Amino acid sequence: MKTFALSPSSGAGSPDVAGFFDPQTSSVQYVVSDPATRQCAIIDPVHDFDEKSGATATHHADELLAYVNEQGFEVQWVLDTHPHADHFSAAQYLRERTGAPTAIGEKVVEVQQLWKELYHWPDFPADGSQWDRLFAEGETFRIGELEVRVMFSPGHTLASITYVVGDAAFVHDTLFQPDFGTARADFPGGDARQLWRSIQAVLALPDETRLFTGHDYMPDGRDPQWESTVREQRETNKHLVGGVSESDYVAMRDQRDGELPMPKLILHSLQVNILGGRLPEPEANGKRYLKIPLDALEGAAWE
């Protein structure tokens, strides 16, 4: 199984993109680097968690650090595209190891407010202070000499954003590979109509823009893939081809999402990820504990 691939720069203003696939969560983590300055950002890193034993580890995050060190990179940013529902974020661990600031879109405060109620955390500061920087729509920053533009992409979650770096765009869970389609929109705060409009904004980028997805579920048992182009998505994505209208898409998405169970780690992971990737603080016995609200979400396996 292919778990690493390098998508090289196409020239001035274009980043090198290294993708690392995690088979346990079907997630893709990225190291995005400027060839001219050897500076980089890490996007959507995974903190390992085994739900059966309750064990946590940093194997995947350490793999990213090893790659960064081997390449002689300097980490400038640790970036999340949204609060993930299927894995823990390793953003805080990497911040501690590298000193690089963490960042996410400013709409994360709306997600925090929603989950604060679900977890019954009355004293939780739902203000985004768990990250060093909250990005606004259209805001720009730099990875070395490369300009990065923040594009809000709500629908999968309230807080989803796309990072556009030269001819590369990191579209998280908005689009998957063309043979798998598009993201679900039935999580708390999700909206299929917003998702459709976010997809249209991504597809308005130049045709040869490289699109990097947050997951791959390997339909028909193929090897994992996570790179496509705007042209490929527009012409071959199974949920978008054939003259699909906004209303058609929303109806399809609503029907499909109504048949899906909730991700198995959604209640585990959100309480870590709305804290910027921080695990719960140890209690008096030195152990950390997750809090799982019962009967909080629809989508049970028997529904």
Side-chain angles (χ1 to χ4, degrees), residues 42 56 135 171 187 195 232 238 240-241 270 278 287:
I42 296 173
T56 63
F135 290 125
V171 298
F187 295 163
L195 180 58
E232 289 169 349
K238 64 184 290 185
L240 304 175
V241 296
L270 261 298
R278 292 168 177 81
K287 298 292 186 183

Side-chain angles (χ1 to χ4, degrees), residues 42 45 61-62 64-65 78 90-100:
I42 296 173
D62 290 336
L64 301 180
L65 290 174
V78 180
Q92 181 61 23
Y93 172 75
L94 291 173
R95 181 183 187 274
E96 293 169 356
R97 293 295 303 275
T98 67

Side-chain angles (χ1 to χ4, degrees), residues 2-303:
K2 178 186 70 174
T3 59
F4 170 84
L6 177 66
S7 179
S9 166
S10 62
S14 170
D16 286 328
V17 179
F20 297 77
F21 182 74
D22 169 21
Q24 184 175 2
T25 63
S26 298
S27 302
V28 191
Q29 312 159 91
Y30 294 101
V31 176
V32 189
S33 58
D34 175 14
T37 65
R38 312 300 287 174
Q39 293 180 311
C40 73
I42 296 173
I43 299 180
D44 289 339
V46 171
H47 193 124
D48 305 294
F49 171 66
D50 177 65
E51 74 276 9
K52 294 179 181 178
S53 67
T56 63
T58 59
H59 302 305
H60 281 90
D62 290 336
E63 182 182 11
L64 301 180
L65 290 174
Y67 177 77
V68 165
N69 291 333
E70 289 166 4
Q71 298 299 315
F73 292 158
E74 176 189 357
V75 181
Q76 279 193 294
W77 294 97
V78 180
L79 305 172
D80 280 315
T81 54
H82 66 292
H84 306 279
D86 43 26
H87 66 267
F88 293 178
S89 169
Q92 181 61 23
Y93 172 75
L94 291 173
R95 181 183 187 274
E96 293 169 356
R97 293 295 303 275
T98 67
T102 59
I104 198 169
E106 65 181 5
K107 297 294 185 181
V108 72
V109 299
E110 297 181 21
V111 176
Q112 288 181 317
Q113 290 162 2
L114 191 158
W115 285 90
K116 171 181 179 175
E117 299 302 320
L118 282 167
Y119 288 121
H120 188 58
W121 286 349
D123 298 325
F124 174 71
D127 57 7
S129 59
Q130 298 80 7
W131 289 265
D132 296 301
R133 178 97 169 256
L134 300 182
F135 290 125
E137 162 68 26
E139 190 169 351
T140 62
F141 62 100
R142 289 191 175 274
I143 301 170
E145 297 175 356
L146 300 174
E147 183 175 271
V148 186
R149 177 168 61 91
V150 175
M151 185 166 71
F152 279 8
S153 305
H156 175 63
T157 75
L158 285 165
S160 298
I161 62 175
T162 293
Y163 295 106
V164 182
V165 191
D167 66 344
F170 298 85
V171 298
H172 55 90
D173 299 348
T174 294
L175 290 164
F176 296 126
Q177 289 301 100
D179 59 350
F180 196 81
T182 62
R184 64 192 296 170
D186 61 329
F187 295 163
D191 185 279
R193 197 168 300 277
Q194 281 193 323
L195 180 58
W196 167 263
R197 295 170 183 174
S198 294
I199 290 169
Q200 301 314 303
V202 170
L203 296 183
L205 294 169
D207 280 357
E208 299 311 314
T209 302
R210 294 175 288 164
L211 301 182
F212 295 96
T213 61
H215 292 279
D216 187 56
Y217 297 105
M218 299 169 285
D220 299 320
R222 63 160 171 72
D223 271 357
Q225 302 172 4
W226 50 82
E227 179 181 353
S228 60
T229 66
V230 167
R231 185 192 305 276
E232 289 169 349
Q233 289 284 354
R234 187 187 302 115
E235 294 179 353
T236 65
N237 186 291
K238 64 184 290 185
H239 290 168
L240 304 175
V241 296
V244 175
S245 68
E246 178 176 321
S247 59
D248 292 336
Y249 178 81
V250 170
M252 178 279 297
R253 191 71 266 169
D254 287 347
Q255 178 180 358
R256 181 175 173 84
D257 291 350
E259 298 168 354
L260 297 174
M262 280 288 126
K264 63 182 178 180
L265 296 184
I266 186 170
L267 294 173
H268 307 70
S269 61
L270 261 298
Q271 63 193 284
V272 170
N273 294 340
I274 63 171
L275 285 165
R278 292 168 177 81
L279 297 176
E281 289 297 318
E283 298 192 8
N285 63 355
K287 298 292 186 183
R288 304 176 191 268
Y289 294 86
L290 295 172
K291 182 178 183 179
I292 305 297
L294 301 182
D295 300 316
L297 299 177
E298 297 180 356
W302 54 79
E303 292 181 348

